């Protein structure tokens, strides 16, 4: 690099499946943090619709969720003027690179992925490791096996391709994606070793102290979008009235004391939510609620969540009313992503020995 040249900004990439509505936890733990990265890095944010079809879904819903997901991202602060927002299926290279990487990935490595095992187990299929690290099926395994699609097994390879295609330096992910990212790093190193230096080995960017928001109805578990209890989870797009209803009916305990501790999961969760949304520390909050009742804590928490989400929801509505704008964001995003993707893909194709196409 010449002395006068500015060093390139680091490249940050992350992706999420277009699974409909985001939760308050997604916003506080992920999106809000991503939005702070825009000025110091070149950021790529992908909506990974191709990952979504590993699970059953209705095409019309996938389409609707994808555009809604984009609007939610932008409303949460991912300013399209300062980052690249794109749909995975709009960029050629994700599946192409996944194929190449897959040809260097032992099946056993994929069968060992915790998330694969969990998802497979949900389909009634149990996996135990044999000496060869392969799968052993349970008694009813033969039938169940047929219902696990191979896309589910290949999922982490596609995810690795999402990252390596852009030569990302850093990848913001939740703790549950640590293992997938480790596989991605292995694949990058393996390719670099087998051919020659091609991929940046990406670093995970895991939030130091992300607020751990828990279910309002069963605060010993994480707040999750797949919860069956309609009162358990706060969604980004819940109307204020519903937010209040959910928080006012949150499960607490009967000792009447407002303090933070493992023996008080319900109250601690409300304090966490209030701290994460209002910006005051838990200590300060505990102090200011001394001698007050649970109802007061709940109503302050509800006010705080509503105040934080109201502008986000307003922006979301405006965006959804302007599909032309959203589509133009995707067009520009896909062009930027494609440019970078082609560079990597052509390098990879050359290195693995594919005969070059005449120009
Ligand atoms: N598997 C990730 C999740 O469920 C989503 C994902 C796909 C992803 N591709 C990615 C995340 C690339 C980061 C980078 O959260």
């Amino acid at each position: 690099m010449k002395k006068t040249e500015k060093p390139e900004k680091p490249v940050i990439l992350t992706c999420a499946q277009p699974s409909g509505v985001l939760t308050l936890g997604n916003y506080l733990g992920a999106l809000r943090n991503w939005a702070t990265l825009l000025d110091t890095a070149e950021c790529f944010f992908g909506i990974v619709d191709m990952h979504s079809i590993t699970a059953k879904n209705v095409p019309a819903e996938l389409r609707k969720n994808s555009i809604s997901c984009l609007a939610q991202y932008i409303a949460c602060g991912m300013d399209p003027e300062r980052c690249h927002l794109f749909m995975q299926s709009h960029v050629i290279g994700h599946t192409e690179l996944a194929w190449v990487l897959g040809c260097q990935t032992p099946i056993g490595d994929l069968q060992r992925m915790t998330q694969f095992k969990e998802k497979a187990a949900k389909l009634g299929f149990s996996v135990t490791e044999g000496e060869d690290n392969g799968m052993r099926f349970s008694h009813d395994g033969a039938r169940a096996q047929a219902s696990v699609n191979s896309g589910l097994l290949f999922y982490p390879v596609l995810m690795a391709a999402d990252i390596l295609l852009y030569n990302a330096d850093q990848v913001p992910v939740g703790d549950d994606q640590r293992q997938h990212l480790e596989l991605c790093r292995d694949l990058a190193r393996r390719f670099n070793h087998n051919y020659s230096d091609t991929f940046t080995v990406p670093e995970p960017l895991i939030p130091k102290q992300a607020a751990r928001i828990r279910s309002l109805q069963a605060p010993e578990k994480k707040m999750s979008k797949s919860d069956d209890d309609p009162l358990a989870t706060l969604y980004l797009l819940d109307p204020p009235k519903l937010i209040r209803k959910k928080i006012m009916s949150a499960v607490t305990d009967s000792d009447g004391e407002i303090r933070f501790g493992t023996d008080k999961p319900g109250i601690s969760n409300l304090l966490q939510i209030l701290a994460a949304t209002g910006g005051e520390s838990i200590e300060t909050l505990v102090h200011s609620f001394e001698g007050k009742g649970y109802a007061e804590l709940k109503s302050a928490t509800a006010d705080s969540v509503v105040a934080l989400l109201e502008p986000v929801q307003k922006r979301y509505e405006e965006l959804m009313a302007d599909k032309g704008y959203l589509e133009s964001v995707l067009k520009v995003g896909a062009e930027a992503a494609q440019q970078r993707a082609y560079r990597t893909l052509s390098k990879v194709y050359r290195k693995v020995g594919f005969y070059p196409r005449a120009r």
Side-chain angles (χ1 to χ4, degrees):
M1 193 191 301
K2 280 191 234 122
K3 268 199 183 125
T4 48
E5 266 178 57
K6 274 206 212 115
E8 266 182 46
K9 284 186 194 174
V11 172
I12 291 185
L13 171 137
T14 193
C15 303
Q17 284 191 44
S19 54
V21 280
L22 298 167
T23 65
L24 180 67
N26 295 140
Y27 178 54
L28 297 176
L31 287 146
R32 195 164 69 162
N33 300 331
W34 298 353
T36 65
L37 304 168
L38 306 189
D39 295 320
T40 49
E42 177 152 13
C43 294
F44 290 85
F45 297 110
I47 296 174
V48 287
D49 46 3
M50 289 172 148
H51 279 94
S52 287
I53 61 167
T54 55
K56 264 210 189 74
N57 62 61
V58 182
E61 301 232 309
L62 176 58
R63 207 161 12 244
K64 200 180 85 208
N65 289 344
S66 298
I67 199 78
S68 163
C69 184
L70 174 72
Q72 290 177 66
Y73 276 20
I74 300 173
C76 287
M78 323 274 269
D79 175 5
E81 303 284 322
R82 293 185 293 145
C83 65
H84 311 292
L85 293 161
F86 66 94
M87 217 57 97
Q88 184 187 30
S89 65
H90 291 183
V91 180
I92 296 168
H94 291 254
T95 47
E96 284 78 357
L97 181 57
W99 175 254
V100 174
L101 296 172
C103 292
Q104 300 183 47
T105 312
I107 298 181
D109 286 6
L110 300 178
Q111 288 169 334
R112 266 196 300 281
M113 291 287 125
T114 312
Q115 209 164 67
F116 171 71
K117 289 201 259 185
E118 282 168 9
K119 287 181 183 174
K122 273 200 191 135
L123 295 168
F125 160 69
S126 83
V127 184
T128 52
E129 274 176 29
E131 273 162 33
D132 57 355
N133 291 322
M135 289 192 210
R136 296 285 178 274
F137 301 113
S138 60
H139 287 313
D140 59 348
R143 258 205 10 239
Q145 181 195 6
S147 69
V148 179
N149 71 67
S150 49
L152 207 53
L153 184 67
F154 208 63
Y155 181 114
V157 180
L158 182 57
M159 173 167 166
D162 297 338
I163 298 166
L164 300 181
L165 192 59
Y166 299 91
N167 267 314
D169 297 295
Q170 295 172 341
V171 185
V173 281
D175 208 29
D176 63 330
Q177 296 299 312
R178 219 182 253 276
Q179 196 186 29
H180 286 162
L181 202 74
E182 207 39 64
L183 179 85
C184 171
R185 289 164 54 83
D186 284 346
L187 291 176
R189 287 195 209 99
R190 189 171 303 150
F191 190 97
N192 290 347
H193 175 81
N194 289 347
Y195 299 95
S196 62
D197 210 22
T198 308
F199 295 121
T200 306
V201 180
E203 297 291 334
L205 202 62
I206 296 174
K208 277 178 242 58
Q209 16 118 304
R212 293 203 176 265
I213 307 293
R214 315 199 142 263
S215 155
L216 294 172
Q217 288 301 312
E220 58 288 346
K221 37 175 217 190
K222 229 174 105 176
M223 185 178 279
S224 147
K225 54 182 134 206
S226 49
D227 206 306
D228 294 329
D229 189 327
L231 292 175
T233 305
L234 293 167
Y235 294 99
L236 195 71
L237 302 177
D238 277 348
K241 235 174 105 182
L242 185 57
I243 292 176
R244 285 184 207 285
K245 181 178 162 195
K246 288 179 178 176
I247 294 178
M248 294 316 284
S249 45
V251 166
T252 54
D253 54 52
S254 55
D255 80 11
E257 206 189 327
I258 296 178
R259 71 184 159 78
F260 194 83
T262 46
D263 57 329
K264 293 180 67 75
I267 293 297
S268 300
N269 190 32
L270 291 171
L271 285 166
Q272 288 261 27
I273 296 173
L274 181 51
T277 52
E280 278 186 304
S281 74
I282 290 187
E283 242 176 16
T284 312
L285 290 172
V286 169
H287 191 67
S288 65
F289 277 96
E290 234 167 84
K292 295 188 179 161
Y294 288 177
E296 271 172 281
L297 173 62
K298 286 180 169 179
S299 103
T301 306
D303 287 345
S304 175
V305 174
V306 168
L308 183 74
L309 294 187
E310 236 168 13
V312 174
Q313 297 181 350
K314 194 167 156 264
R315 183 82 186 106
Y316 171 80
E317 294 304 333
E318 289 165 4
L319 288 162
M320 284 303 274
D322 192 353
K323 293 274 154 57
Y325 170 71
L326 291 174
E327 282 167 15
S328 73
V329 166
L330 287 177
K331 183 160 182 269
V332 174
E335 278 162 8
Q338 187 66 76
Q339 213 179 29
R340 201 170 167 90
Y342 270 144
R343 237 187 292 158
T344 310
L345 191 66
S346 57
K347 218 191 257 183
V348 168
Y349 274 14
R350 181 160 44 79
K351 295 205 183 189
V352 299
F354 294 159
Y355 199 86
R357 181 160 44 177
R359 284 173 184 269

